[in-house]
Amino acid sequence: MRITVNGRPLDVEGTKDLLTTCLSAGIEIPHFCWHGDLGSVGACRLCAVRVHDGPEDTEGRIEMACMTPVREGQRIEVMDPEAERFRARIIEWLMVNHPHDCAVCEEGGACHLQDMVVASGHHRRRAEVPKRTHRNQDHGPFLTQEMNRCIGCYRCLRFYRDYAGGRDFEVLGAHDRVWFGRTEPGALESPFAGNLAEVCPTGVFDDRWWSRHYARPWDMAETPSICANCSVGCNITLFERGGTLRKVQNRTHGAINGSFLCDRGRFGALAAEAARPTHPTRKGAEILWSDAIEAARALVARGAVGIGSPRACLETNFALRRLVGEDRFFAGCSASEAALVARMAALLRQGPAGIASIRDIERADAVLVLGEDLTGTAPRAALALRQAARGAERRLAAEKGVPEWMDAAVRVAGEGRRSPVALVTPLPDALDEVALWPLRRTPAEVGAFGQAVAAALRGEETAPEARAVAEALAAAEAPVVIAGAGLGLAGPAEAAAAVAAALGPRARIALFPHEAGSLGLALLGGTGLERAVAELEAEQRPVILLDASLPDRAPTELVERLMAAATEVMLLDWLDGPLAPRADLMLPVTAPAETAGTYINHEGRAQRFFTGRPSDLVPAWRLLSPLCGATETTLDEILAALAHDCPELAAVVDAAPGAMAGPVPRLPSRASGRTAFDLAGRVPEGEPRADADSALVWSMEGAQGLDVPPALRTRADRPGLHSASSAWTGTEGVGCPVRGGDPGIRLLVPGSGTASLPLEDADGDGFRTLPLHDPFAASSADRASPPLAERAPPPRLLLHPEDAQALGVAEGAMLLIDGRPAPAPLTVDDRVPRGHVAISGSRGQAGFVTLEVGP
């Protein structure tokens, strides 16, 4: 289809609205209420343009671009004088009640309203009536609210309620006195509430942490990074000023996070600002770094065993494996978890189904989830599943002639229909409301149900529910099957692979490990702690640990045996975890936000992250490399060594350009100037901080914007467009991949692996543990973040009433789990399967436990 915009002919899709089409083609049209992921509602009327239906239409008419479908032969004039006057009046009306506080507003310099006001030429106020005023509301630790800045675009409500499924956020009032918030003050319940700070085109909602540690947007250094809080691998931008991490913002990735983050991803990196160890210690006493390095060399010389961490980056785990040798390198988790993640990698390589990205989940027309609490373990995937569930609604609306981009009309015309989503979990799930089949099964039965679905797809006779799910998947054009490590069992992953294989090449499969580094650790090899403990008990040796929070991921009894069998324990970590006081030698290292490295996400996509905040500490891999006589001192050098020693991982080198690809500035071109960062002359002029691990520099010099490779790109804004609402300028088109290609490189190729024996779950005595996952605090690293710590709920321990009665305990009783105090008083809940105990943070203790009445 061909249209003409400002005299420029364009060949475009005929399925989009005029605003989306023009923005995708790089033609700027002012707008407020439109958002690429939220569609069009026509609330603000700012995108007025003159539209001519064809060559014969010489007069044309003023139309709202976001509500106008693209038609063959259209001629559009964005800069038509009448359209410009119309837009200028809209801006003036909006500014009648808007406070003139740009000089003190936190959004100043990164505000979409400010950009549009400047673009329209509005510069003085003619209205002399009193301004409308609103009261603000407390929305918890993540967000501030200044309702007087609201322009009534409805973006916040459309995201929170319609897109993310939140139910505790409303619009109240009418006409020009509408107010957005909760019916009563309190923290917003949705784990995606932090997105309101970016969705809002003004300063109504802002990041509360940024408010407490405020710096002007143009004075903060920006660094591309990767979220380290789950295995999805969302792309983020870290903002730093004066050595302090001030803010975290979404960085668009077409295949993964798109425009939105979960709150754990948005605020998790701020754990770098928490109280942390900063000096090496020996048996609790601070020592000099030179003495610490000598002690470490002596410990390695005594034949140390290395315990890697699924929380660490690929380079750190590799450096430890190379230091101790492959035969003495073990994964810092239970043997069952290590085997499960390794099996997941093997299943993804075997195929024949493709590997599902988050974008694939969004576009699926039928989904089967086996056992995974996605809201707790992979929140961004849960958000994607909510969009997939709306597919049937969009298809029905299309049959009635309502295009997909008319979001509000689609919700009416779609009559609330839902795509076939089967959610098979042991407990009620946050996604039950979008599932056509919210099915409850015990953890052991989840895998059996999946196998029954696979059998039905092969034409075998199965139970009615499994047959109904199989029929829906078989009728779909783009089915997706999802499982993970959330239950600590192999059954769901094995069943997901069987279902995907029965569906054939059109299917996609997503398997989610626990941590950001879980898959990378599995690809490096190494069994779990049980074998490490067995070898240490046979021959005692020193132990090098990469994680002070090992009890998060392994049974307490196993960790205690490890500590008892080790002659000495050297710990490298950035957190003051439960094992830190017991380490003989503690070496503090940089947090993920303070270092560079590589994570491999659930797809097998290797992605590079970079130093977002300078630190006096050094990365763990940089401490470990010299201990084995290696000479690598930079990230490029350690990656070259990794590619040499692990040929199957050699492609990680191509995940991002090396340090010689620069310079790429972290500071925007409109920064206040280098002298503003000079600290009154204490930093010599002309000598910004050096970064040997990337092409990024701590200054304003270098390539800018779209001239920068995508993996190094810190911003994509243009002159006059500085807000998060302008993220579309860095993509191939609205909702499309990043210009130049989405960052990262796939390491796992379906069909490249050979068939292997399925992994079977062991049975046992006692109560089977049922992990309770929380979207705000999945690990000790999350709980170290000050904002997340405020939002994290207390731990829970749940039992079925009949199990509680059999034990002779009542609500509130204190129990012993395997002889140790439970993390919380007992809650009796009839939704828990019989014979199971549901425990917060028990993912490292998957298996069977004994319960006793506490003292």
Side-chain angles (χ1 to χ4, degrees), residues 155-244:
R155 274 196 194 181
C156 56
L157 189 76
R158 288 157 57 211
F159 169 78
Y160 193 89
R161 291 185 66 89
D162 297 343
Y163 195 92
R167 292 291 174 265
D168 59 324
F169 187 84
E170 307 283 350
V171 56
L172 307 171
H175 192 45
D176 66 339
R177 296 195 65 82
V178 294
W179 181 87
F180 297 88
R182 288 167 53 93
T183 53
E184 59 185 35
L188 290 168
E189 296 172 2
S190 171
F192 307 99
N195 288 287
L196 296 183
E198 288 185 40
V199 168
C200 178
T202 72
V204 176
F205 295 101
D206 267 317
D207 181 334
R208 187 179 290 274
W209 176 265
W210 184 31
S211 301
R212 294 171 179 170
H213 306 82
Y214 184 71
R216 279 298 187 188
W218 56 78
D219 280 339
M220 292 190 288
E222 304 173 33
T223 303
S225 190
I226 304 298
C227 173
N229 294 77
C230 79
S231 63
V232 172
C234 293
N235 286 216
I236 58 177
T237 300
L238 304 178
F239 291 78
E240 177 268 348
R241 164 78 171 172
T244 302

Side-chain angles (χ1 to χ4, degrees), residues 133-145:
T133 57
H134 289 295
R135 290 186 178 181
N136 300 321
Q137 191 177 55
D138 179 15
H139 287 304
F142 295 158
L143 294 167
T144 62
Q145 183 187 38

Side-chain angles (χ1 to χ4, degrees), residues 288-530:
L288 297 175
W289 270 107
S290 57
D291 295 336
I293 297 300
E294 286 304 314
R297 289 185 189 278
L299 185 143
V300 170
R302 291 191 286 274
V305 164
I307 309 295
S309 171
R311 204 181 67 196
C313 66
L314 186 65
E315 291 82 356
T316 295
N317 281 316
F318 165 71
L320 178 59
R321 191 187 81 159
R322 186 175 57 168
L323 175 65
V324 300
E326 290 185 49
D327 58 336
R328 293 204 298 269
F329 176 73
F330 303 92
C333 57
S334 65
S336 59
E337 181 181 331
L340 175 55
V341 179
R343 177 62 177 161
M344 286 180 178
L347 290 172
L348 294 176
R349 278 179 167 151
Q350 283 176 212
I355 302 172
S357 67
I358 299 300
R359 181 67 74 181
D360 290 329
I361 296 174
E362 285 183 356
R363 295 171 176 169
D365 54 356
V367 182
L368 170 61
V369 181
L370 292 172
E372 201 68 5
D373 173 14
L374 291 176
T375 305
T377 62
R380 190 59 186 81
L383 189 61
L385 187 60
R386 288 183 177 275
Q387 314 323 309
R390 291 191 58 213
E393 177 182 82
R394 290 190 288 265
R395 286 190 292 274
L396 178 59
E399 292 173 8
K400 296 179 178 180
V402 180
E404 181 178 334
W405 48 267
M406 295 187 69
D407 190 68
V410 166
R411 292 178 185 276
V412 175
E415 302 177 9
R417 288 199 184 178
R418 289 291 178 260
S419 292
V421 173
L423 195 66
V424 190
T425 56
L427 294 171
D429 193 276
L431 293 172
D432 282 349
E433 62 185 9
V434 302
L436 189 60
W437 294 288
L439 305 175
R440 301 287 85 88
R441 298 289 188 276
T442 68
E445 293 171 345
V446 169
F449 181 87
Q451 294 291 356
V453 172
L457 287 167
R458 295 191 296 266
E460 302 171 23
E461 190 63 31
T462 59
E465 282 181 329
R467 189 165 58 251
V469 173
E471 289 171 356
L473 292 170
E477 296 179 2
V480 170
V481 189
I482 300 173
L487 294 178
L489 299 175
E494 296 287 355
V499 172
L503 286 169
R506 76 180 189 282
R508 294 287 183 272
I509 183 171
L511 302 176
F512 293 98
H514 282 312
E515 303 281 1
S518 291
L519 196 55
L521 179 59
L523 294 176
L524 282 173
T527 57
L529 282 182
E530 283 85 345

Side-chain angles (χ1 to χ4, degrees), residues 758-785:
L759 193 63
E760 296 184 0
D761 294 309
D763 209 344
D765 299 322
F767 287 85
R768 183 184 285 277
T769 56
L770 178 55
L772 296 175
H773 302 283
D774 187 80
F776 298 108
S779 69
S780 57
D782 301 327
R783 293 188 291 271
S785 165

